[in-house]
Amino acid sequence: MGKLQIELLGASFSAQASEDDAYLAKLLSYYKEITESIKNSSGVKDSLKISILSGIALVDELYKEKQKSISLSKAVPTEDDEKAERIVQNIIEKISGALE
């Protein structure tokens, strides 16, 4: 179990999670990057609003990645797709042979 000391946007507290310390530190570092970017680009000064906007930015990022993943999984043929294609191809060949 990892422990993380969070000091961000005027708040300071500790948190524990089932991930290791190094992973949690990477997450916090990434979140700090997002909050700094939001803070600098939006001109918003209120910490709560910056946190909310950062959360929305991260959810947007996650949602887009999920959509990419869904698109990729549909683009990659599964074993069932390949089997169905072989069956259809076999039927087409039989029909073509019967018509000749």
Side-chain angles (χ1 to χ4, degrees):
M1 178 174 282
K3 188 172 182 179
L4 187 64
Q5 180 61 36
I6 300 170
E7 293 181 18
L8 182 66
L9 300 171
S12 180
F13 58 96
S14 293
Q16 288 187 333
S18 60
E19 303 294 339
D20 65 41
D21 290 347
Y23 179 75
L24 294 174
K26 285 180 186 178
L27 290 180
L28 179 58
S29 176
Y30 187 63
Y31 189 73
K32 284 181 177 182
E33 285 178 34
I34 299 295
T35 57
E36 279 301 310
S37 175
I38 296 292
K39 188 176 176 181
N40 295 334
S41 66
S42 70
V44 174
K45 302 294 182 211
D46 183 271
S47 297
L48 178 59
K49 290 178 182 177
I50 293 169
S51 293
I52 292 169
L53 291 171
S54 298
I56 291 170
L58 289 168
V59 168
D60 174 55
E61 187 177 314
L62 175 63
Y63 184 78
K64 287 176 181 174
E65 288 300 316
K66 280 187 170 186
Q67 293 304 310
K68 281 185 204 175
S69 177
I70 289 169
S71 294
L72 287 176
S73 68
K74 288 181 180 178
V76 176
T78 66
E79 188 176 314
D80 288 340
D81 294 337
E82 291 170 359
K83 183 177 179 182
E85 188 175 341
R86 285 192 303 272
I87 291 170
V88 169
Q89 193 64 33
N90 190 18
I91 291 170
I92 291 171
E93 289 171 9
K94 286 182 181 181
I95 293 171
S96 294
L99 292 175
E100 291 176 358

